[in-house]
Amino acid sequence: MTIRKSAIAALTASACGAILLGGCAKTGELDASGGITAVRNACPSVGVPAATGDVTMFDPPASRDANAIDLTAVMTNVRSTCDDTTADVLTKVTFSVEARRVHAEAARDVTLPYFVTVVQGGNAVVAKRVGRVTLHFDAGQARASAQGTGTASVSRAAATLPDEIRKKLTEKRKAGDEDAATDPLSRPEIRQAVLRATFEALVGFQLTDDQLKYNATR
């Protein structure tokens, strides 16, 4: 599964050294003597994996001809709220599904499955839940919309950097020091610790192999 928002890619971005603590540095986050003082957020970032944000249905189902398209749906307005005040960091994800059908004569209900996954370190799926959202088309109407929700839970302890790693990341570096220009993430033990503590909550349509292939190659 290719992830659109890659934690690994973000962590290797040298132009934003403070991202390893949760975001690019802003005014007041960089100490005058070179220390990074930004606070890392335990809440996972939220996104949609590549090629899973829309779905196309065909009639007949085995066809992939444009003239056989029966229905298309897209996931939009993905939003999240996060509660990081307890031992388990709970993220609630909401989204909209906008759909359009070709044949609008009769009323119709269409149920589409979707997933919410928790990904650690940019590529390891550690939890997954599948839900369903139902779209209702009135007779004569070609468009319909519905709302979906999901939750993701991450252990606060797992999303928290060890004290010794945080200390290495935030230690002050003065110009002229031997390690002043060294990116802390160039050290394997630091990089791996940051990746282990980095989580994403990803939502998308639960596609069949054929549907995923269609999205990836069209």
Side-chain angles (χ1 to χ4, degrees):
M1 178 173 64
T2 302
I3 296 174
R4 184 173 299 163
K5 296 180 66 180
S6 171
I8 295 177
L11 291 171
T12 57
S14 59
C16 181
I19 198 169
L20 53 90
L21 296 181
C24 294
K26 301 176 183 178
T27 302
E29 291 183 349
L30 294 179
D31 187 274
S33 59
I36 301 173
T37 60
V39 177
R40 187 176 189 276
N41 194 331
C43 293
S45 59
V46 175
V48 180
T52 67
D54 60 277
V55 59
T56 303
M57 298 174 62
F58 293 86
D59 185 16
S63 175
R64 289 299 177 266
D65 190 274
N67 293 327
I69 292 177
D70 175 47
L71 179 145
T72 59
V74 61
M75 188 175 291
T76 65
N77 299 322
V78 178
R79 299 286 187 268
S80 66
T81 57
C82 177
D83 181 3
D84 63 350
T85 60
T86 61
D88 289 327
V89 178
L90 186 64
T91 300
K92 181 178 180 180
V93 181
T94 61
F95 58 89
S96 300
V97 175
E98 304 290 340
R100 181 181 181 276
R101 61 175 177 165
V102 174
H103 305 290
E105 295 81 9
R108 180 184 178 186
D109 289 334
V110 176
T111 299
L112 299 174
Y114 65 90
F115 65 84
V116 179
T117 62
V118 176
V119 177
Q120 183 179 21
N123 58 11
V125 176
V126 296
K128 179 178 180 179
R129 294 181 179 178
V130 176
R132 287 171 174 77
V133 60
T134 298
L135 298 146
H136 175 72
F137 294 89
D138 288 328
Q141 292 190 343
R143 297 181 180 274
S145 63
Q147 306 300 310
T149 63
T151 59
S153 180
V154 174
S155 166
R156 184 179 181 85
T160 301
L161 288 172
D163 289 341
E164 64 272 16
I165 297 298
R166 178 181 288 270
K167 181 179 179 181
K168 291 176 182 178
L169 290 171
T170 59
E171 64 184 358
K172 297 178 181 180
R173 298 173 178 84
K174 295 182 180 180
D177 287 352
E178 184 177 351
D179 62 348
T182 301
D183 182 355
L185 288 173
S186 64
R187 300 170 62 175
E189 73 277 12
I190 295 180
R191 177 182 174 83
Q192 290 303 314
V194 173
L195 285 174
R196 283 194 300 271
T198 300
F199 290 84
E200 295 169 292
L202 303 178
V203 59
F205 288 114
Q206 181 67 27
L207 304 176
T208 65
D209 289 342
D210 285 344
Q211 288 172 331
L212 187 60
K213 182 179 178 180
Y214 175 81
N215 283 359
T217 59
R218 63 186 173 181

